[in-house]
Amino acid sequence: MLASSRHLCRDIVSWPIGKCDEDGHIFLGPFIYILPIMNTNAHFKVDPRLASLLGENYRSTELAIKELIDNAFDADASNVWIQLPQPLTLDPIVITDDGTGMTEAEVRHEYLNIASSRVSRKGERTRLKNRLVKGRKGIGKFAGLMVASLMEIHTVARERETRLRIFRDELIRAKNDLVQIDLPLVCEQCPGTPSGTEIILKGINQNFTFPNADKLKRLLVLEYGRQPGFNIYVDGELVDIEDIPGESFEHELQLRNGEKAQLRFTLSDGIKPLKQSGIALRVGGKIVGNPRYFGLEEHEEIPTKMLRRLYGELSADSLEQDVTADWGSVVDNSIILQEIEEQVRPLLEEACMELLQREMKWARARLKKRINGSFDRLPPHKKAHASKFFDKVLKKFYGESESRIANIVSVVLDAMEQNDYWLVMQHMAESRGQESAQVADAFSHFGLIDTALIAQQSAQRLAVLKDLEALIFHPDTTPAEIQKAMANNLWLMGPHYAMLAANPELQEVMNLYLNHKYSNGQAARRPNLLLTQDFNKRFLLIELKQPDHTLTLKDRRQAKTYIQDLNVYLPERQIDVVILGGALSSQLVGQRANTDVKMLSYKAMISEARVQLNWLIGELKKR
Ligand SMILES: Nc1ncnc2c1ncn2[C@@H]1O[C@H](COP(=O)(O)OP(=O)(O)OP(=O)(O)O)[C@@H](O)[C@H]1O
Ligand SMILES: [Mg+2]
């Protein structure tokens, strides 16, 4: 094993580590080399693309180390050991693999051939294990020098070891002229030593964060956790599913044939989906086919984004007979797999649902905080609906940003606050196509809300009546202003008139008539007339006089002329008139009801409206 040769190398080479140069780089001193069997110099071979490629940066020490693991993977290694330094020591980082290693020629022509694309040199797949090659650019090896001042390479191939050292400072000093750097290369026979490579990084760059084993493991498990035949050990510990941060579960399944299967999985923390989520099937130590979700992808409650956080393995050697020849899947009719699926699904479901509920609870609490009291302002009967709605939104938008969810929720809560019909209509829609009892229930609910809304509306009308009264009787208010205030509030004149509305076309007819009749200096006498229409297409003409104007027979006669005149514009239509003004003159007392001209004082109108509304509210309360 290479580790033994490593000790040998340490014995014969002395590295005075720890001196600092003026740039703050830890300087490792000149080459002090007790030459063993062969010592020649090697040089970098530089591709013109290098200058730009060397600018490559690694965001963290762990990412830089990962580059070297990628190289071990590409070298068809089965194992790679990473030894991290103990905090506050000058220990090196050591990365050892049992891959193919490099011959001296390979070191000279491939390793030192900077920026030469491995894929174009050797193809997409590795020679021994047919792995899809990670190396692309031919510069990954420099990642080591991003974190250390010195990189030693000890590599064994065909029972010959080649050793090489590269100093970061030399690279920096040489800038673009890397070809000029002398790289002493040492080669010796090492009979019986298996192939492999060891990279020793010394003088860890203090500007980088100290390498963290957990962080490195997390990074590596996501990339290599599913890779059969490639084990990574960090400080002696195998990188495994447990290195995924999150809640881990372990179950032993008892199969009917007396054998057992092991299920291990983690639901990762954080919303970020994993690269290769799902439960992988491991049979006889080998992964079979792609990871699966055991039918949970069809589950109504569990969002897909949550499944992307599921990472695990099911080891079931009992399936060996049922694995297809290419090891790509399990035969469709495997009874054992069916049995396993039946046991695994509820276990996964339970874990996912439990986590989902917990997360929803937190999310709901955070959401309520975010929407800042809108929920608390809702009346109690709406709160239950709003809570249901929260859950629906949180499920539908699971994994989306919380501010986006909060926006959706606040818009709907605002609407809810203002409109109960939204809820009843929702209820009605849900009952559609269901049993008649449920439809009847929804209707009854609708009626209740509808009545409640009428009561609410009546109370609000009662409240504004006072303001309207003050406006009408204010000495500065003109009849035109009263007309404007009343035009959209004809409920004031009683329930018969509640549905009346002044529409722009009708007002156009009115203006045509008034312009014609009161032209040429008659403008001062121009009356305030409001023409409205009900759903029976009956017209009602409202004349608004001054509130202190006493209504007389003359006003009634005048109104009759309006009807005659308007008949020219609206032929053969029934037109009723209401004249609003001050007190009624004695001539009018006892006027016949139901005539087409009605005289009414503003005061009577308002008090009548008040009586009506109070009665309605009283009646509705009795229900
Ligand atoms: N641990 C190793 N074992 C065997 N050969 C290696 C090892 N590390 C590097 N090499 C050889 O050195 C070459 C250069 O490595 P380097 O990481 O610089 O580039 P790369 O892996 O080809 O591409 P990338 O820049 O994308 O990593 C590799 O292509 C490989 O042939
Ligand atoms: Mg590489």
Side-chain angles (χ1 to χ4, degrees):
M1 227 279 355
L2 203 74
S4 56
S5 69
R6 189 173 82 199
H7 295 304
L8 172 78
C9 294
R10 285 212 182 120
D11 293 342
I12 57 169
V13 181
S14 139
W15 311 92
I17 308 166
K19 287 184 193 154
C20 246
D21 68 10
E22 61 270 31
D23 293 322
H25 296 123
I26 296 177
F27 186 63
L28 295 161
F31 297 161
I32 304 167
Y33 229 89
I34 302 165
L35 298 182
I37 294 167
M38 239 176 93
N39 175 27
T40 52
N41 280 353
H43 290 99
F44 284 118
K45 293 168 191 275
V46 183
D47 184 283
R49 286 172 302 162
L50 175 69
S52 62
L53 290 175
L54 266 186
E56 194 104 346
N57 273 322
Y58 295 89
R59 274 168 287 128
S60 67
T61 317
E62 293 78 14
L63 275 171
I65 296 174
K66 187 179 154 285
E67 278 293 338
L68 304 177
I69 315 302
D70 289 349
N71 282 354
F73 175 81
D74 287 351
D76 278 330
S78 304
N79 299 288
V80 49
W81 298 267
I82 305 155
Q83 196 64 49
L84 296 179
Q86 290 301 308
L88 305 174
T89 66
L90 291 172
D91 292 351
I93 297 173
V94 185
I95 296 142
T96 312
D97 71 60
D98 59 0
T100 53
M102 287 175 275
T103 60
E104 183 189 340
E106 283 167 338
V107 171
R108 286 177 187 278
H109 306 298
E110 295 179 4
Y111 191 76
L112 296 179
N113 193 354
I114 302 170
S116 97
S117 152
R118 177 193 161 125
V119 170
S120 55
R121 211 170 53 220
K122 288 185 167 170
E124 285 250 309
R125 298 263 172 190
T126 62
R127 193 170 53 85
L128 297 179
K129 298 196 170 166
N130 201 33
R131 290 175 180 164
L132 202 58
V133 166
K134 306 254 178 210
R136 283 283 175 274
K137 300 172 181 170
I139 56 155
K141 63 189 144 281
F142 286 120
L145 287 172
M146 296 275 166
V147 295
S149 313
L150 168 66
M151 178 160 73
E152 291 177 33
I153 301 106
H154 302 166
T155 179
V156 176
R158 293 189 215 141
E159 303 193 340
R160 258 182 90 78
E161 180 172 1
T162 305
R163 296 195 294 274
L164 172 75
R165 304 189 294 179
I166 305 171
F167 286 91
R168 189 180 61 222
D169 282 356
E170 294 223 344
L171 285 185
I172 293 167
R173 254 181 257 131
K175 294 216 170 88
N176 288 338
D177 207 8
L178 297 184
V179 184
Q180 300 306 318
I181 304 175
D182 275 343
L183 298 163
L185 208 94
V186 179
C187 295
E188 65 175 346
Q189 295 292 342
C190 50
T193 310
S195 65
T197 301
E198 183 169 74
I199 310 284
I200 306 165
L201 302 171
K202 291 180 172 175
I204 306 302
N205 186 346
Q206 305 297 311
N207 295 333
F208 270 78
T209 51
F210 200 79
N212 176 295
D214 288 337
K215 201 168 158 199
L216 180 64
K217 283 183 189 169
R218 257 179 259 150
L219 199 72
L220 294 172
V221 74
L222 293 180
E223 180 82 24
Y224 290 109
R226 293 253 182 260
Q227 188 64 47
F230 188 59
N231 300 320
I232 306 172
Y233 301 83
V234 175
D235 290 339
E237 281 181 19
L238 181 69
V239 168
D240 200 11
I241 294 171
E242 278 111 55
D243 292 312
I244 293 179
E247 204 175 342
S248 296
F249 302 82
E250 220 170 319
H251 298 277
E252 192 167 68
L253 313 181
Q254 183 62 57
L255 304 179
R256 279 195 284 271
N257 64 6
E259 292 187 34
K260 290 186 171 134
Q262 282 76 34
L263 172 69
R264 292 160 68 224
F265 62 94
T266 297
L267 280 164
S268 76
D269 280 346
I271 296 298
K272 200 166 177 272
L274 300 172
K275 232 187 209 166
Q276 287 177 301
S277 56
I279 305 290
L281 214 55
R282 194 184 279 279
V283 181
K286 275 200 246 175
I287 297 284
V288 180
N290 294 325
R292 49 185 80 203
Y293 300 106
F294 291 86
L296 288 196
E297 54 275 50
E298 313 289 335
H299 200 287
E300 280 188 1
E301 301 279 314
I302 301 173
T304 319
K305 278 202 177 144
M306 165 150 277
L307 292 182
R308 299 269 175 269
R309 293 164 56 194
L310 176 66
Y311 192 98
E313 226 179 76
L314 178 87
S315 301
D317 291 349
S318 306
L319 283 170
E320 185 133 10
Q321 303 299 319
D322 297 348
V323 174
T324 56
D326 62 353
W327 220 254
S329 87
V330 174
V331 290
D332 282 350
N333 54 1
S334 162
I335 295 176
I336 300 179
L337 183 62
Q338 234 173 38
E339 191 193 337
I340 287 175
E341 278 172 346
E342 279 162 21
Q343 291 196 43
V344 169
R345 199 189 123 102
L347 293 171
L348 297 180
E349 183 183 3
E350 191 191 334
C352 288
M353 285 305 291
E354 215 239 298
L355 179 65
L356 184 68
Q357 258 138 32
R358 230 180 312 142
E359 288 187 342
M360 293 278 280
K361 202 170 138 196
W362 297 329
R364 222 179 286 132
R366 282 195 302 266
L367 192 60
K368 278 186 190 163
K369 215 167 158 195
R370 254 176 189 271
I371 54 174
N372 222 349
S374 314
F375 180 81
D376 298 331
R377 278 202 303 277
L378 289 178
H381 72 282
K382 285 191 196 175
K383 274 192 179 145
H385 285 281
S387 276
K388 264 197 215 158
F389 170 74
F390 266 29
D391 289 358
K392 264 192 199 165
V393 173
L394 285 171
K395 265 182 206 153
K396 195 167 162 63
F397 294 93
Y398 179 85
E400 294 283 346
S401 88
E402 288 198 349
S403 67
R404 194 173 158 211
I405 296 178
N407 280 344
I408 299 167
V409 168
S410 14
V411 168
V412 177
L413 283 195
D414 284 352
M416 266 187 180
E417 219 180 325
Q418 287 151 17
N419 185 3
D420 271 297
Y421 278 112
W422 185 87
L423 287 177
V424 246
M425 296 318 285
Q426 186 91 334
H427 194 171
M428 288 292 295
E430 277 165 16
S431 75
R432 242 164 250 153
Q434 295 197 356
E435 310 235 314
S436 52
Q438 269 151 313
V439 182
D441 185 49
F443 248 107
S444 142
H445 202 75
F446 177 89
L448 276 179
I449 296 279
D450 194 49
T451 312
L453 280 173
I454 296 170
Q456 205 178 336
Q457 184 195 55
S458 305
Q460 273 154 8
R461 285 180 175 178
L462 206 57
V464 297
L465 214 52
K466 247 203 195 107
D467 299 314
L468 189 84
E469 192 174 9
L471 176 81
I472 291 172
F473 294 104
H474 193 280
D476 295 342
T477 308
T478 64
E481 284 163 349
I482 298 175
Q483 179 178 333
K484 189 174 176 197
M486 283 189 56
N488 291 323
N489 287 295
L490 293 173
W491 52 269
L492 283 162
M493 296 174 59
H496 292 315
Y497 301 97
M499 298 301 288
L500 288 181
N503 78 40
E505 287 97 61
L506 278 183
Q507 209 50 44
E508 196 59 28
V509 172
M510 202 65 240
N511 290 341
L512 225 95
Y513 163 65
L514 293 173
N515 290 347
H516 172 71
K517 185 139 189 179
Y518 298 93
S519 54
N520 306 331
Q522 303 257 353
R525 291 184 47 233
R526 183 181 164 131
N528 286 290
L529 294 176
L530 183 64
L531 185 60
T532 64
Q533 191 180 23
D534 71 5
F535 46 84
N536 277 332
K537 302 238 159 122
R538 272 172 71 119
F539 291 101
L540 175 75
L541 183 69
I542 303 168
E543 180 173 15
L544 298 123
K545 299 263 190 206
Q546 291 281 6
D548 56 359
H549 171 87
T550 305
L551 297 168
T552 63
L553 272 174
K554 193 173 156 220
D555 296 318
R556 172 184 270 189
R557 276 197 297 278
Q558 173 71 37
K560 294 259 183 204
T561 65
Y562 298 146
I563 297 174
Q564 279 162 14
D565 292 349
L566 279 175
N567 269 333
V568 176
Y569 298 92
L570 306 165
E572 296 167 30
R573 293 293 189 89
Q574 166 78 33
I575 303 175
D576 295 334
V577 182
V578 172
I579 307 173
L580 279 164
L584 265 64
S585 81
S586 53
Q587 306 165 310
L588 292 171
V589 176
Q591 64 174 306
R592 256 193 312 131
N594 291 335
T595 57
D596 47 3
V597 179
K598 220 177 178 171
M599 322 276 272
L600 194 63
S601 76
Y602 288 109
K603 278 232 178 304
M605 176 188 80
I606 287 170
S607 89
E608 184 63 18
R610 194 167 280 137
V611 169
Q612 277 277 349
L613 290 169
N614 277 324
W615 170 83
L616 189 57
I617 292 169
E619 282 302 296
L620 292 172
K621 270 192 191 149
K622 286 184 206 157
R623 294 197 182 197

